[in-house]
Structures are given as structure tokens and as C-alpha cells.
Amino acid sequence: MNAETCLKKLQYIGVLAFATVDGQGYPQVRNISAIHYEPDSLYFFTAKGKAFCRELIKSRHVQILGYTKYKEMIRLSADAEPVREEEQQKWTDIIFEEQPYLYNIYPDDTRLMGGMVFRISEGEIEYFNLGVNPIFREKYAMGGRKSLFRGYYGITDKCTGCGKCVVSCPQHCIEKGKPAVINSIHCLSCGICFDICPVKAIERLD
């Protein structure tokens, strides 16, 4: 698994959830299918007048989520950049050819007057597969973006080796020792080990 494979899986899903934050700090989610995929990036079309477009222009931050029938969750956290003005028609035409229903929404030249194409070339992709046992999760850097870790990633020297975290882990991804070791690839991030540890030796990174 890698970033390019995750992008291909998102393409197979088709309709993806795009999340931004509005001016009042509330999350906003839209389902979007007007997307074109390249091996290392994706392009998407939206209307200039929508709040979604204004939010992207203001902060650039967006999170994209797709879920496959095989219980695979793919989440892309990135910054979306408007395509250069001289390339807007090129990418708009490509997206409309791949998604012909858009011609019914924006006939003739209205697609150029009323729409805008954004590009994502850097980001962090999280792949989370609940359909295997043990579960599998991993993060991949897209472009030059550094992949950041979040979750329960380590057990400090405070660990007494009692083993409570080992027996309580639903995915059995903690190896007993002093200190014990968490295999983050199979970690569910449920937090049971963090809550049950009598000496608070589990480290959590938010």
C-alpha cells in the first residue's frame, strides 16, 4: 500500500466527502464527484459562488474521506490550491468529459464563468482497514508533505510490566515487556490501554 494506491481506491469509490471549516468554526461536509485523478494529485471542480469555494480560498485546508465496500477508510488531509487561471479551462474540460452529468448543471460556457478547479498535490493519507484481522492502519506522505503521527504510539519507562494493557487490547497489538511495545500498524486507537494503565505509562499524541 502507498499514496498512489490510495488515490486509485478513492477514484473507484467515486463520490467523496470533502470537509472544511466555516467562518464560525463549524465543520462543513459536502459530497463531491467532480474529480479528476492523476497518479500524484487530484483535481476537483466546484462553483465559485459556493461557501465551499470561499472557505478553500480563505484557508486552503480540506479533508477528504472515502469508504470502500471492503471496510477500508481512506482519509486525505491537505491544502487545495486553485489551478492557475490559464489552466482552468483545460482541467474543467477534462473533469466535464469524465463526468458528463456536469453539462446538465453548467451548459455551454457557464462552467467557465461559474466554476473553479482546485488541485491537491501534497498531503497526508491515512489508510485504515477494518475488514482484516488484526486491523491495519498506516499513513503515507503525498508529495512533499511530512506524515504526522496521531494516536497511542509508545509506552514509557514508567511501565511496570503488569500486562494489563496486553490482555485488554482488542487487537492484541501490544507486546508484553518492560516497557511493553505497541504495534501501531494494528492499533485501533480505542484508548483502552491508555485508560487502564495504572501508572499512566501510555503516550498519546493528538
Side-chain angles (χ1 to χ4, degrees), residues 20 42-43 51 57 116 150:
T20 55
L42 62 83
Y43 298 78
I57 291 173
M116 181 178 289
R150 291 179 293 273

Side-chain angles (χ1 to χ4, degrees), residues 79-136:
D79 290 339
E81 300 285 343
V83 170
R84 289 182 300 178
E85 187 64 32
E86 60 269 26
E87 294 186 345
Q88 283 288 332
Q89 179 167 355
K90 168 189 171 182
W91 294 108
T92 298
D93 289 345
I94 289 173
I95 291 172
F96 272 60
E97 286 299 317
E98 293 178 349
Q99 304 287 344
Y101 78 91
L102 292 170
Y103 286 110
N104 297 325
I105 304 172
Y106 296 97
D108 302 321
D109 291 335
T110 59
R111 66 184 186 279
L112 301 176
M113 294 184 290
M116 181 178 289
V117 176
F118 289 82
R119 178 183 183 230
I120 292 175
S121 59
E122 293 186 1
E124 179 190 69
I125 298 177
E126 182 179 9
Y127 175 82
F128 190 14
N129 191 339
L130 291 171
V132 295
N133 187 6
I135 63 96
F136 176 85

